[in-house]
Amino acid sequence: MNKTIPFLLLTLTMLLWAANFYAVKIALEYYAPLGVASWRFLFGVLTLFGFLFIINGKQLSIFKFTKKELWYIFLTAFFGIFLTIYFFNVGLKTTSAINGSLIISTAPAITGVFSFFILKDKLTFIQWLAIAISFIGVIIILVKGDVTKLFELKFEIGDIYILLMSIVFSYSQIIVSKYLAHLDAIKMTSIASFFALVLFLIFSIPELTTVTIPTAPSFWWSILFMGVLGTGFTYATFYYCVVKLGTTTSALSMNLIPFFAVLLAFPFGEKVYNVQFLGGIIIISGLVLFSFLKPK
């Protein structure tokens, strides 16, 4: 099987997800986290269903799933979309885009741990060591280089939310790989995104009914970008690549997110600090070690 296209799609997906870190910070200047997520996924779901109708026409048979499949699609929506995006939006209110991108790059290590316990994948001692190295990098970022904060348990709440995002998103990949790999990626992701949209709408009713909808062009441009490209397109391509390339390979591609986030920091005017470079180098070093030592 030619894997060039899946790898290219993964790279593009990571670039768009890196840009999401900046787009969502713009949207959060005007609206609350759940409201931003609701508008984002409204356009995301419309984009995904647009793909479906282009590919399959109006055949309703494409939405036929077993009860068991629908349950696991709902779990994917709950962990991989609803909780992921909620933690993402809330976290970025109090942390930087670069911090967020560095912390979420731990997803491969977290996915490796989940794979060991759930999928029964074998991990060597060196791989466990590599995972530990990656988490040391995260700790450096969490405490901003001040080790005393670790003993005092003083962390930025936004960084903790992004770490939670990384955990639930990694778990969603395990669900897809174990229970939904036989399904068409776009169909599965479309239904999962629809479930997530319903959850967002339910929990954001207080915001949507009481807070004035922003009219600023920058708000709507960021929402459209996140909805159409950063959600509709990227969620379909990512879960497609999870099926084609496997959970570990797809998760390792997330190493590109902090790289792209740093490149995008300059046009968006965000500062890059030495402690972020140090933590990022340690995280990625551990993940590269983990990748190269994967059992054949």
Side-chain angles (χ1 to χ4, degrees), residues 58-234:
K58 297 182 179 180
Q59 302 174 25
L60 294 179
S61 60
I62 63 175
F63 299 115
K64 288 185 177 180
F65 301 99
T66 66
K67 291 182 179 179
K68 188 175 182 180
E69 288 170 343
L70 283 173
W71 169 243
Y72 286 117
I73 291 174
F74 174 79
L75 289 180
T76 300
F78 182 72
F79 289 104
I81 302 178
F82 178 71
L83 286 182
T84 294
I85 299 302
Y86 174 74
F87 290 145
F88 178 68
N89 286 4
V90 175
L92 285 181
K93 284 184 72 68
T94 55
T95 192
S96 68
I98 294 175
N99 259 27
S101 67
L102 287 169
I103 294 170
I104 198 177
S105 68
T106 57
I110 297 171
T111 302
V113 174
F114 280 138
S115 296
F116 175 79
F117 286 106
I118 300 175
L119 301 181
K120 307 303 179 184
D121 287 352
K122 294 181 179 179
L123 297 178
T124 65
F125 170 78
I126 301 298
Q127 282 185 298
W128 284 111
L129 179 62
I131 289 172
I133 290 172
S134 293
F135 283 113
I136 289 173
V138 174
I139 290 172
I140 289 174
I141 294 171
L142 290 177
V143 301
K144 293 180 171 58
D146 184 355
V147 181
T148 59
K149 290 184 178 180
L150 179 62
F151 298 105
E152 297 172 0
L153 296 179
K154 290 183 178 179
F155 309 117
E156 289 289 344
I157 188 64
D159 292 335
I160 300 300
Y161 275 119
I162 298 297
L163 183 58
L164 289 172
M165 171 196 177
S166 188
I167 292 171
V168 294
F169 185 71
S170 297
Y171 181 62
S172 77
Q173 296 176 58
I174 300 298
I175 296 173
V176 171
S177 181
K178 186 173 183 179
Y179 301 108
L180 302 173
H182 61 287
L183 298 180
D184 177 83
I186 298 181
K187 295 177 187 177
M188 183 274 294
T189 309
S190 298
I191 300 302
S193 296
F194 177 76
F195 285 156
L197 174 61
V198 172
L199 289 171
F200 281 127
L201 289 173
I202 291 172
F203 284 94
S204 63
I205 286 175
E207 295 173 15
L208 296 174
T209 55
T210 60
V211 180
T212 303
I213 298 174
T215 57
S218 57
F219 171 80
W220 286 107
W221 278 118
S222 64
I223 290 293
L224 285 171
F225 171 82
M226 289 188 292
V228 177
L229 294 177
T231 301
F233 175 77
T234 53

